[in-house]
Amino acid sequence: MKEYQTNIKMGFIKLIKSKKIASLVAMLVLFGNSLAMAQSTAGTEEPAKVDWTGVGYYVLLFFVACLCVAILGKILKVYDLSLKMQGKKEINWNNIMGICCIIFLVAGGYGAYWSLTEQGSMKLPIAASVHGVDIDNMFTVTSILTLIVFVITQVLLFGFLFYYRGSDKRKAYYLPHDNTIEKIWTIVPAIVLTILVVFGFFTWQKIMNTTEVKGDLNIDVTGHQFAWELRYPGKDGKLGAVHYTMVTPLNKLGVDIKDPNSADDLQADTLVLPVNKPVRLNIHAQDVIHSVYMPHFRVQLNAVPGLPTFFKFIPTITTAEMRVRTDNPNFEYLLYCNKICGSSHYNMQKVVKVVTEEEYQDWIAKQKPYFTDQAKAALKVADAKATSSKQVVSNRLALNN
């Protein structure tokens, strides 16, 4: 017995002197000190204020919890061995694991509840477009169904593990096969998933399968590092064609000056949209992949160089109405870039204003033309020189032949 107690004592000493444990403790202490030292009030004479509620705090807490569980496991293992050596009844690990399953179920359930209540407030803002309501409904239905399945499966999983834990009083029944059970857990999920997929398919078709209709407002949105360029049609309601070979300092979007539709095109600094009117955003990129993202309108589509795309939607809530709903007099819709496109990616924001038809007509009448008279004259001269140089090269090639 004394020899056994000596072995237990030596086991604890070995555990305490373990290099791995010592290294882990040292790492946690250093990490905690670094976190504390890093939290300071820069530029003031006030004492440093430590904020322990950041990511580092939870990482540290996780490692401490793992360390405690590991130590507790070692202690229980040593205690179990001591009971065995003394001829006493050993620890019933089945009961311990069953209780752990219940604890995990309760803790996990609370964690899911906390996530829904706390993180749920970070959901998307009010939908301000027709299709945005459909997307939100689809998201809500999917979330409710998956939440129901999650609760049922978790309760059954950990409840069964606790209720049917190993025991000497009963023998487990082995069920090699059951057609009824196989049919239930195959057919029921298949039906639910089919409903969700079909529902989502028709919603997506309704949103994306749109054609250009006379009277729609066409707006070109072009992304480059690091800004959005906006081009509106003039009185003819049509935008001039663009081509990347025509991009110059005077023609930054590469608009074809020879296209009659480009003569009255307009440029704007703010994306202004008339409420309850179909808007088609023609999306372009000039350098890297950008992404047009307007969360209130549930609009997001990549802007890919050489691959023009479009997104059509109908805004339903004016900026003035949204300011009242949000109780924020400074509220503005924003157009973001949702791709990390470079070091100044954060600068790619554009104010979006949704206004009445009368306000829109008043605003559009004040916008500047894309091609000014000076730009037109300079582009014509440049085009004439380019044509002349091409003719010279062509003649020389003919003479050489």
Side-chain angles (χ1 to χ4, degrees), residues 203-216:
T203 302
W204 193 245
Q205 287 286 96
K206 180 181 175 182
I207 294 170
M208 298 303 295
N209 285 1
T210 55
T211 56
E212 187 172 356
V213 179
K214 188 176 181 180
D216 291 352

Side-chain angles (χ1 to χ4, degrees), residues 138-157:
M138 184 173 64
F139 183 82
T140 300
V141 171
T142 304
S143 298
I144 291 174
L145 287 176
T146 53
L147 182 61
I148 292 173
V149 173
F150 169 77
V151 172
I152 293 175
T153 53
Q154 298 307 303
V155 170
L156 289 178
L157 174 63

Side-chain angles (χ1 to χ4, degrees), residues 6 14 62 89 123 223 268 276 293 325 338 349 371 381:
T6 302
K14 185 178 180 181
F62 173 76
K89 187 177 180 180
K123 63 183 181 181
N276 296 323
Y293 177 51
R325 291 195 184 191
N338 205 25
Q349 296 185 17
F371 287 122
V381 171

Side-chain angles (χ1 to χ4, degrees), residues 347-359:
N347 280 334
M348 291 193 67
Q349 296 185 17
K350 211 70 162 169
V351 173
V352 181
K353 289 186 178 295
V354 180
V355 297
T356 62
E357 180 66 24
E358 294 76 14
E359 291 173 325

Side-chain angles (χ1 to χ4, degrees), residues 281-345:
L281 299 181
N282 303 301
I283 301 169
H284 307 268
Q286 293 184 327
D287 37 37
V288 299
I289 296 178
H290 301 280
S291 185
V292 171
Y293 177 51
M294 295 188 289
H296 286 87
F297 305 109
R298 306 301 188 262
V299 172
Q300 181 179 337
L301 200 65
N302 286 350
V304 183
L307 184 65
T309 54
F310 72 92
F311 198 108
K312 189 175 177 180
F313 68 102
I314 302 175
T316 56
I317 304 176
T318 64
T319 301
E321 291 172 342
M322 189 60 81
R323 286 175 178 174
V324 174
R325 291 195 184 191
T326 58
D327 195 24
N328 179 10
N330 299 319
F331 171 85
E332 295 286 4
Y333 293 116
L334 290 173
L335 162 61
Y336 302 95
C337 175
N338 205 25
K339 283 285 183 292
I340 302 178
C341 54
S343 59
S344 297
H345 157 74

Side-chain angles (χ1 to χ4, degrees), residues 15 21 24 63-76:
L15 175 65
I21 298 296
L24 180 60
F63 279 113
V64 171
C66 291
L67 180 62
C68 292
V69 170
I71 294 174
L72 180 61
K74 288 287 186 181
I75 293 174
L76 287 175

